[in-house]
Each structure stands twice: as C-alpha cells, then as structure tokens.
Amino acid sequence: MGSFLVRYLLMCFCLIMILLSSFLESSFPPSSCKLQKKFNLNGMHKPGDVILGGLFEVHYSSVFPNCSFSFFVYFRFDTPGFRHAMTMAFAIDEINKNSKLLPNVTLGYSLYDNCATLDIGFSAALSLASGQEEQFRLLENCSGTPSVVGIVGDPFSTFSIAASSVLGLFKLPIVSYFATCSCLSDRQRFPSFFRTIPSDAFQVRAMIQILKHFGWTWVGLLVSDDDYGLHVSRTFKSDFLQLSGGCLAYSEILPWEDHPNEYKKIVDLMVRSTARVVIVFAHQIHLIHLMKEVRENITKHAWIASEAWTLVGGLHTPEFMPFLGGTLGIAIRRGEIPGFRDYLLKINPEEQNSANNMVKQFWEDTFHCRFSANWLEAGGTVCTGEEELRNAETELLDVTELRPEYNIYKAVYALAHALDDMLHCVPGRGPFIGHTCATLQKLEPWQLMYYLEKVNFTTPFGDQVFFDENGDALPIYDIMNWLWLPDGSTKVQNVGEVKRSVFKGEELTLDENKIFWNFKSNEPPTSVCSKSCPPGTHIARERGKPVCCFDCIPCSEGKISNNTDSLECTSCPEDFWSSPQRDHCVLKRTEFLSYHEPLGICLTTTSLLGTFICTVVLGIFTYHRSTPMVRANNSELSFLLLVSLKLCFLCSLLFIGRPRLWTCQLRHAAFGISFVLCVSCILVKTMVVVAVFKASKPGGGTNLKWFGAIQQRGAVLVLTSIQAAICTAWLVSSSPTPHKNTQYHNDKIVYECAIGSTIGFAVLLGYIGLLAILSFLLAFLARNLPDNFNEAKFITFSMLIFCAVWVAFVPAYVNSPGKYADAVEVFAILASSFGLLVALFGPKCYIILLKPERNTKNAVMGRETTKKIITKISLYLYYNKYPCIAPTSLKTSLNICQCTTLLVLCVNFGCCLAFYVNIHHLHGQKEVQ
C-alpha cells in the first residue's frame, strides 16, 4: 500500500503499546483522570467559552519521529499552511464580533501543526480530543466536556482516515477542508467526518465531464501511491467506462521516492501509447520526479491535473512549461473573505503570548532572523518584532486566490452555526431523549454532530453550505488552464467551472475561447483508440482489447444507426427501408401496375382500343342489322357477344392502378362473369350451328325446337348465373383484399390483391375453361359444315386462340411476381378478347363492308356441290403454296387463315416469353435476397 500505510501501522502499534502501558500502570482514583503522555506539539491557542480545534500543515518534516514522539526535525516553513491556520483564527475572531451568531459565547481555538507527518498529525488529533491538562476531574457518570467540541482538519486524506477512525468512535465532529478521499464518505466507518471540499468521487466525475466535452475516450492515468491516488484510481476506472464509455490506455502508480528507473518506464509507456491525454492524481513531488524523465516527444500530450497540483507554483516554471503548458486542472472553488488581508497585516509576534509559537516561526522565516540571543552570537540577525510586514515579500498576504482558505472559513462557520442552533434549542422541545436540549456545560460530541448534519447557511460570497447524508458539502470546482505567455511568463487562468446543483445535477461550464493549448494549432488534441463510427455503422468490439478499441461495421439492409458510435443497428419499421447511407429510414418504394408507367399505359391503351373496336363493330352491326350476315345465327347473340367482349376489355382496367378493396373484389368477379357471358354466347351459337346442320338432314327438324330464341337466351342466362353464384360465394366466404407484399423485394412494397380463397379462384377459372373447351370441341366437330359462310370454322379458330392464351396464362400468372402477375392477367384478357373479336367478327365485317355482294341470303344459305368443294380445297392447297398468283377472293380467304394462324402462334409465343421472363426475374430476385 505504500509508505503511508507502513507509517500508519507503525503509529497504531506505538499507540497500542502506550495505551496498554498506561492501563497497566493506572492507579488513580475513579473520580479523576491523568494524562499518561503529553505530546510536544507546535501549536497556537486562544482561550474561550468553547474551543474549536484545528490541524494544519505549517512545516514539512524530513525525519519521522520514533514511538516516543520526542523529537522533530523541520526543514521548511510552509507559509500557505500558516495562512490556512490564520484563516481559522480570523474566522473565529469574526464570529466573536458578530452579535447575531453565538451571542454571549466566546469561541477559542487550539491549532496544531501536523508537520505533513502521519504520526504527528494523529497525535495532534488525540491531543485535541483529550486536552493537554495532565489531570482533570470526571463527572459522576465518568464523562466530561471534551477539550474541543469540533476539529477543523486534517488536510490530508490519510491523516483524516487515521484520526476519524478513532475519534469517530466518540462521535467527535471533524470538518476537513482538504481531505478528498471518497472513502471518507462511508458513514459506517467515519460517522463524524464532514468536509467542505468535494470528494474525489466528484472530482473524478468533474474530470469525466471535461473528457466527454472534448470527446477524449482513450486516456492514461497516473496516481500517487497513497490513499488519495489508489482510491481515485478505482473510482475513475469504473466511472469513466460507465459515464462516458471511455477506457484507460494505461494506469500507473507514481512512487513517493525518486526512482529514476520507475519513472523512466512510465514515460516510455506514455510515449508508446496512442493516448494523447494524461490524467494525474498526485502531488507536486511526483510531477517533479516525472518531469525529470520527460523528453521532447512528450509534448504532444495534454495534461489533466487534479486539485492537489493544479495551483502549485513550483511547477509553473520555464523548465516544466514546455511540457505542462496548456494543462487543464481542477481547482478548489475560489472565494473571497472580506477583511482577511487587513487581519494578516496586524500579525505581530510581540502581541502574541508564548503559546503562539507559529507566529514567531513565521516571522523568523519571513525576515530571516531569530528571536534567540544565541543567534546573534552566531552572526545572525535578531528579530525585533518591529519589522514591517506590509513591505515583506511573503505569500501570506496574497489573498487573490483563497481556495483552501475559503473551505476553512466555511468549516469554521459550519461549526459555529451548529453551536448556535444548539443554543437556540427550547427546553422541552429538544431533539434528544425526553425532548431535552444540549448545554455547553454537559455537551456531548454527538449532540453537536446532530446539529452539524442539519446546518444550512449562505456565505457572504453567495455559496450555500450544507452537508448531505455522507457528510459532503455541495460540490463545486473551478477549471484552470496553464497559460504560457510569449514573454516566457506563466499564468493560471479560470476557464470554467463544474458543479452539482440540487435540481440540475452536474453542470459543466467551459469557455473554450480562453483555453490555451500547447500545440501549434492551438486546438485540443484527439485521443481515441478508434475513430468514432459514423451514422450508418455500428461498433464491433475487438476481442482481447479495451471497449474503446473497435471496428465500424456498416449496417445491413433494412437497418440503420442514426447516432455516432451506435452499439447496434435498429430495424426500420415495416413500411420503411434503410437509406443508401444506412443513417435513416425512408418510405419503401411502392410498386403496382400503374397508369403512369409504360407497361400500364400500353395495356390501358390496348384495352380502350379493344373497347373502341367493339363499339365500332357494334355500330356496324346495328347499322346493317337487317342484312343476312347479321341476322344469320341469331343476331341477338351477336349483339350480346359484342357487349360481353366490350365488358371483357373494360374489366382489364380494374387490374391497373393501386389495389383497393372494391377493385380487388370487383376485378375477378367482373372478369369471370364477362368471360362466361362471352363464352356462353359462343357455346350457344356453336350449338345452334350444329343443330341447324343436323336439321337440314332428313328427320333432324325436331332438334330445332330446343334452340329457339328463348332457349338461347335462357341457356346464356343460366350459364352466366352459375358463374355469378361462384363469384358471390367466393366474395362472401373469402373475399380478395389488398395486400402489401414485401417478399419479392425488401426495399419496396408490392401492392397486390390477395385472392383470398385459392379454391374460389380456381373454380372461377375452371368454369370458364370448361365452357371454352365445350365450345371448342363443338366448333371443331362442325368446322367442315358445307355452308357458304361456316361460322363454326371461325368459332374453332377463336376458341383455339382463347384456350391457347389461357393455357399459357396459368403457369405465367403463378410464377409472376407483383405487378407482373396483374400484367400477365391483363395481357391474357386482352389477347383472348382480341382473338375472339377478330376471329368471330373480322370476317363478317369484311363481308359487310368490303364484299356486300356476298351479304345475301343465297350467298349465306346456299350449298356447294362436292365438286365445288373439292375444287375449292384444291385451289386452297395450290394457292397456299403459290399465293402470289391466287385470285383476289381466294387470296383474302388465305390471308384470313394465315393471319389467324399467325395470331395464335404470336399469342402462344408471347405468353411463353412472358412466362420465361417472369421466371428468370423471380429467380434473380431470390438470388439477390
């Protein structure tokens, strides 16, 4: 644990031996106590009704005392430490003059010098608790008023731990102004310890706030080998990672003694490390030893100083500033104490009694003289006491930076306010057993501690003073910066503060424009193990390395990270997808067969064109409705067939545009009913053709009675009603609904109509197919009827086209993704509709418009002889081989047949091509996914 621990154990052993010997040798009457050992301590005293104790570092000691505490060796008088002691004296003097605070009560003090030595500091604390009277009387209950009711000090954490461990057993209040070890906040171990300086726990958090402000996550830590450094090291390691996600590049302990090899190893480690920020929780002597080993290549580092060495003047020298310039440090809150300098100017050793040796020691150190006559004989200067302090060069009068002094001032006033609150207690309403109050005559230390825990006041400087449940005051620190001026001089300037408020928590205020950085760019350095991961990436830890060392991995598709240094990527909502940069979510692109895209425009135009052609044909048939060509084979069915074809063309428009509930429900119902109406008309016409042919034979006339106009209408109505019933049952049981499909593409939403019941859709298509096959078979059987105008032949061609289209449609539709499925279905509707329109009405329109001589009853109803049939067949075969020499009438017939055959081939080729493209497209999408 270091030299302090060894000294602490040695001191405890010595103390136990002394107490044991005193117990064995005690033979005093029970009504009195005798002091077994009186320590030879350097101190300063003032009598009063109530005595407050104080422990200050007025001298440094170069030799440790032995167990007898019999000698001291001083090598330096510490003027700032003496000023600390005088601050307590001034505060008590000011309180005694205050008529509102502790009226009719005079405060006194007993101030001891701890000589920066644990043994002396501990013995001084015991002396304050027990007093220096060799023998005193006890009360009947073997208790008595302590020598002091409270102690201000000790400034060192280790000394305070030792003193509080013993005095805390008696609940004697100790208010430290400089002990910062966070371990002292443990109320179980140190129930009577208070302090007006923030603990190291807050100092660590304050430094972490600074590190977070500049984005430093990769730093080095150097600590002293004592309670102060070791406790800070443990706290910093845990809090740094927890509060800012930072980590330590290295953590080293600075030895107290001057070990060049140890310090050289530490400097070499700093040079090799990539950390450019070094945090040091140590004392002046450690920095001096460390700077001896520093070389030029250490100038790239920024130093963060703890409060223990931020304002130490011995480090602000031209020798150290090339390395320590630009240091940011935590400093105790600076305060103002009105009238303090005037009080210091009144110090005069002639006015002090013999008990105030520290004043004479200060005088001798300041004016380099002695009050001893022997000193004159040795050739030295004798002090007269009339030297002018105002003209002396001494740190005592520098009251511009009252920091520890301000904490001492608040500590004294905290004890005074606690005493004042205690004396204002109303008998019968007190906080103790039986509602009693404490008195100065029978004051117990724990009674004053009760009031000290509840003290709350505001200093003249405007700071509020109260203690929390751990005995810590409201923490506040100033942030200082070491400025290296062009003329070579140095200045430590205030650049901000960090504090904890009751309502806002920890607050950091920093003026970056005032900060001096010891770099050419005058910019803060970068100190990170790995550069921050930008938005769109996430952190991937490297095994075996600190958490600050990581790789940046881009987020996968569909995930984003919109913050720097994200630990993981978050998935976008269902309707969103990641942007190309993976830093935010964007709405997924929507896909459906739109009216605005080329494919949709082409299909819409084709549908409207087919509707227009149907309208034109309907007009032609209406205009020529009295001609034999129109009246042949029930003109009413021809008109109904044209209307159904028109509906087929129009129903394809329902497949274009964003799917809605009504379009999804209506598109298949309209498609199914329209096509069944169309095919029903064709089927009935085919049956009529066959029946008429059979009726022309002997004994076949009886069949015509079943194919009258009423029967034909009824058959069409019945066949169509069946499809309507199928559609109704499908819509009622499992209706098609709009569906957002994300399976085809991750980055887009494909809007489509979910068919609901696959069985319903299959029955709808199956019924259409059944009627089409029946029509094809009947027409095929009647294709060679010897009529001049054999409509069964054209029905055969139309059904061949129809069946070919829909046979190719089924596999193409099943394997087409998204909008292409709708496009395939629309293409099938249009192709089959055009096939029926051209095959059934093309020849009729040709005759009506271009060959009116054939639009007669004889031409339509006449019969051809076998010879004519054979001749025509021969001509067909001949001119099919040599079409260029065929007559015009025969050419026309050949062209119609050839065009029909070519149309069938094109439709099948187009469907197969669409099927292949869609299969290839879907396979490619699956590979991409």
Side-chain angles (χ1 to χ4, degrees), residues 140-387:
E140 294 180 357
N141 59 356
C142 293
S143 64
T145 302
S147 175
V148 297
V149 297
I151 298 176
V152 176
D154 193 290
F156 295 101
S157 295
T158 302
F159 298 7
S160 296
I161 291 172
S164 298
S165 297
V166 177
L167 301 186
L169 300 175
F170 305 98
K171 303 296 179 64
L172 180 65
I174 300 177
V175 186
S176 178
Y177 58 91
F178 216 62
T180 60
C181 180
S182 57
C183 59
L184 289 165
S185 297
D186 187 353
R187 302 308 277 176
Q188 297 295 325
R189 292 179 58 194
F190 312 106
S192 64
F193 181 83
F194 300 83
R195 55 183 157 195
T196 54
I197 187 173
S199 71
D200 287 336
F202 180 75
Q203 185 177 186
V204 167
R205 297 174 75 92
M207 285 193 174
I208 292 175
Q209 291 291 328
I210 297 175
L211 298 178
K212 287 176 62 177
H213 179 82
F214 291 106
W216 295 330
T217 57
W218 184 240
V219 301
L221 177 65
L222 304 178
V223 298
S224 58
D225 187 14
D226 56 8
D227 292 308
Y228 171 67
L230 298 178
H231 278 90
V232 163
S233 178
R234 286 194 293 268
T235 305
F236 190 89
K237 289 178 182 179
S238 61
D239 289 356
F240 190 33
L241 176 61
Q242 181 179 357
L243 298 179
S244 68
C247 44
L248 295 177
Y250 54 86
S251 178
E252 296 295 324
I253 298 176
L254 301 174
W256 277 94
E257 293 77 13
D258 186 7
H259 295 296
N261 292 334
E262 293 294 329
Y263 280 98
K264 187 177 185 303
K265 290 180 181 179
I266 294 174
V267 172
D268 291 341
L269 177 61
M270 295 169 58
V271 173
R272 293 194 307 269
S273 174
T274 57
R276 291 293 172 261
V277 176
V278 184
I279 301 173
V280 183
F281 284 90
H283 305 281
Q284 176 185 6
I285 189 63
H286 298 100
L287 270 297
I288 294 175
H289 294 328
L290 184 65
M291 289 300 108
K292 290 179 181 179
E293 303 299 329
V294 166
R295 299 294 183 265
E296 291 294 333
N297 50 13
I298 208 74
T299 57
K300 297 180 180 180
H301 290 68
W303 297 79
I304 307 296
S306 67
E307 47 79 25
W309 63 281
T310 295
L311 299 175
V312 175
L315 298 174
H316 307 155
T317 63
E319 180 184 1
F320 296 147
M321 286 303 289
F323 313 111
L324 297 179
T327 295
L328 282 178
I330 299 292
I332 302 170
R333 171 74 163 175
R334 187 192 72 85
E336 294 181 2
I337 304 177
F340 183 46
R341 190 173 190 277
D342 295 335
Y343 178 82
L344 295 176
L345 288 171
K346 295 178 182 179
I347 294 177
N348 192 318
E350 295 297 330
E351 297 179 2
Q352 309 296 330
N353 54 42
S354 60
N356 295 334
N357 293 329
M358 286 192 290
V359 176
K360 294 181 179 180
Q361 294 161 2
F362 161 72
W363 205 265
E364 291 176 345
D365 181 77
T366 302
F367 296 102
H368 307 289
C369 60
R370 294 290 183 272
F371 284 98
S372 173
N374 296 331
W375 183 250
L376 180 61
E377 296 176 358
T381 304
V382 177
C383 300
T384 63
E386 296 180 358
E387 291 82 1

Side-chain angles (χ1 to χ4, degrees), residues 707-875:
F707 295 96
I710 297 175
Q711 285 79 7
Q712 294 178 34
R713 296 191 200 103
V716 171
L717 179 62
V718 171
L719 294 175
T720 306
S721 299
I722 294 174
Q723 182 74 310
I726 293 173
C727 293
T728 303
W730 180 22
L731 294 177
V732 172
S733 62
S734 181
S735 173
T737 56
H739 174 62
K740 294 188 294 184
N741 196 326
T742 57
Q743 296 180 354
Y744 301 133
H745 308 278
N746 289 329
D747 59 342
K748 66 175 65 173
I749 299 175
V750 178
Y751 285 95
E752 59 184 11
C753 288
I755 61 175
S757 174
T758 305
I759 297 176
F761 186 52
V763 171
L764 181 145
L765 292 178
Y767 183 65
I768 297 175
L770 176 63
L771 296 181
I773 292 172
L774 289 176
S775 299
F776 173 73
L777 293 176
L778 290 176
F780 182 77
L781 295 176
R783 70 190 184 284
N784 293 322
L785 296 181
D787 289 350
N788 188 31
F789 184 83
N790 187 1
E791 191 169 13
K793 184 188 301 181
F794 300 107
I795 293 176
T796 303
F797 283 119
S798 65
M799 286 296 100
L800 179 62
I801 296 172
F802 186 88
C803 292
V805 169
W806 287 101
V807 167
F809 158 76
V810 174
Y813 178 82
V814 172
N815 293 280
S816 297
K819 66 179 182 181
Y820 299 102
D822 293 334
V824 167
E825 191 165 358
V826 173
F827 179 79
I829 293 173
L830 296 178
S832 57
S833 299
F834 271 111
L836 295 176
L837 179 64
V838 173
L840 294 177
F841 295 97
K844 293 182 180 181
C845 290
Y846 171 77
I847 293 174
I848 293 173
L849 297 177
L850 301 179
K851 297 293 181 179
E853 67 276 7
R854 294 175 58 185
N855 191 6
T856 61
K857 183 176 181 181
N858 293 332
V860 174
M861 300 301 295
R863 294 180 178 273
E864 297 178 334
T865 63
T866 304
K867 181 179 179 180
K868 290 182 178 179
I869 294 174
I870 294 174
T871 303
K872 185 171 249 187
I873 291 174
S874 299
L875 288 173

